[in-house]
Amino acid sequence: MNEKGQVRDVYDAVADPTRRKLLRMLSDVEELPLHEITVHFQMGRTAVSKHLAILKDADLVIARKVGRETRYRLNATPLKEIKDWVSFYEGFWKERIIKLNLILEEQKMKPDVSLDFQFTNSIEQVWNALTDPDTLAKWIWKNDFKPIVGHKFQFRAEPNEWWDGIVDCEVLEVDEPHTLSYTWLSAGESTTITWTLKKGSDGTIHLHLDQTGFSEETKARQGAIEGAKYAWTNMGAQLGKVLAEQ
């Protein structure tokens, strides 16, 4: 019992690092006398005894007299209260970490650039505009594209003082006439372009563009992603003009 005649709170008892060391020490043995415990601390027997008394008040140690010496052993049962308390918050944080990871995965999967275009042409005509090198050159740039998975090709634009005008690509997916995907490596930035085509109930062809994989540095650079959106929007408008001529 403590000075108020009440059982000491187990949390208060284990709050002190010296008392936690005492519990750890007693957990490795069946029983220890006071003099053997004291040699492990830079304090006298009286100070160690006070710490043991606090642990005894919390029912964390059991003391017994053997002649003139007091021997101590661990009673771990009250620690279950702490274990249960900690377990609740472990579950609390585990659940939130799982939710955080899901949010991060969703953000990772979310495209950096996402645009939609609509055309009144047939789906075959739109697909051809995405895959025929000569037609591609009319609304993107000159190229040596082939709709074959694994094919490596380039888009070649007019170079300027900031850019060599070269985009290195590799075809990743070809599902005619619904999905086309290829890498897009330019100026050290590697992303993925994915075109998705769907025919609406009114016959309109819905063309969706996703560009994913921009580096965090690029995302943080003001105007970089908006610049990419602007460029693809202009190219989409040019595609519309090309298709309108067919």
Side-chain angles (χ1 to χ4, degrees), residues 119-132 135 139 147 175-180 197-200 203-207 239 242-243 246:
F119 306 106
T120 56
N121 302 71
S122 68
I123 194 169
E124 290 78 16
Q125 287 176 314
V126 179
W127 178 263
N128 182 73
L130 295 175
T131 57
D132 176 67
T135 309
W139 65 279
D175 180 18
E176 183 177 357
H178 301 293
T179 306
L180 176 67
L197 292 83
K198 290 183 180 180
K199 186 175 182 179
T204 300
I205 304 304
H206 299 269
L207 177 63
L239 171 59
V242 170
L243 289 170
Q246 297 183 2

Side-chain angles (χ1 to χ4, degrees), residues 107-117 141 167-169 180-186 189-196 208-215 218-219 224-233 235:
Q107 290 179 344
K108 188 186 299 182
M109 293 167 55
K110 185 178 179 181
D112 300 309
V113 175
S114 184
L115 295 170
D116 289 291
F117 308 95
W141 299 301
V167 181
D168 291 301
C169 307
L180 176 67
S181 180
Y182 44 81
T183 58
W184 183 278
L185 175 58
S186 177
E189 185 79 42
S190 181
T191 59
T192 298
I193 302 295
T194 301
W195 298 100
T196 306
H208 181 77
L209 165 69
D210 282 338
Q211 185 172 14
T212 58
F214 282 100
S215 66
T218 297
K219 291 178 183 179
I225 300 301
E226 290 304 316
K229 290 180 181 179
Y230 177 79
W232 282 114
T233 298
M235 289 181 185

Side-chain angles (χ1 to χ4, degrees), residues 1-137:
M1 292 286 180
N2 62 19
E3 60 193 16
K4 294 182 179 180
Q6 298 175 337
V7 175
R8 185 178 293 272
D9 183 273
V10 67
Y11 298 96
D12 177 58
V14 301
D16 184 89
T18 297
R19 295 195 284 274
R20 292 197 297 272
K21 183 178 178 180
L22 283 166
L23 292 174
R24 180 68 183 86
M25 184 185 304
L26 292 173
S27 70
D28 291 332
V29 295
E30 182 175 342
E31 194 176 64
L32 277 178
L34 179 59
H35 73 274
E36 288 188 26
I37 296 174
T38 303
V39 296
H40 294 281
F41 295 89
Q42 294 181 338
M43 62 181 72
R45 288 167 62 100
T46 300
V48 173
S49 293
K50 288 182 178 179
H51 282 293
L52 286 167
I54 292 172
L55 293 173
K56 185 173 180 293
D57 286 344
D59 202 25
L60 286 166
V61 298
I62 297 173
R64 72 184 183 97
K65 283 284 189 178
V66 179
R68 299 178 60 184
E69 184 69 270
T70 303
R71 303 179 68 90
Y72 297 88
R73 64 184 174 88
L74 175 68
N75 178 34
T77 301
L79 293 174
K80 185 178 183 300
E81 180 183 345
I82 295 178
K83 177 180 178 296
D84 293 342
W85 183 80
V86 171
S87 295
F88 169 78
Y89 286 100
E90 283 180 346
F92 174 88
W93 284 112
K94 185 181 293 184
E95 180 181 343
R96 277 147 184 79
I97 290 298
I98 290 173
K99 289 181 179 179
L100 174 61
N101 286 333
L102 289 173
I103 292 171
L104 292 175
E105 285 300 316
E106 288 175 0
Q107 290 179 344
K108 188 186 299 182
M109 293 167 55
K110 185 178 179 181
D112 300 309
V113 175
S114 184
L115 295 170
D116 289 291
F117 308 95
Q118 288 80 39
F119 306 106
T120 56
N121 302 71
S122 68
I123 194 169
E124 290 78 16
Q125 287 176 314
V126 179
W127 178 263
N128 182 73
L130 295 175
T131 57
D132 176 67
D134 293 334
T135 309
L136 274 171

Side-chain angles (χ1 to χ4, degrees), residues 160-171:
N160 56 45
E161 59 181 307
W162 303 286
W163 181 45
D164 62 6
I166 301 296
V167 181
D168 291 301
C169 307
E170 180 178 348
V171 180

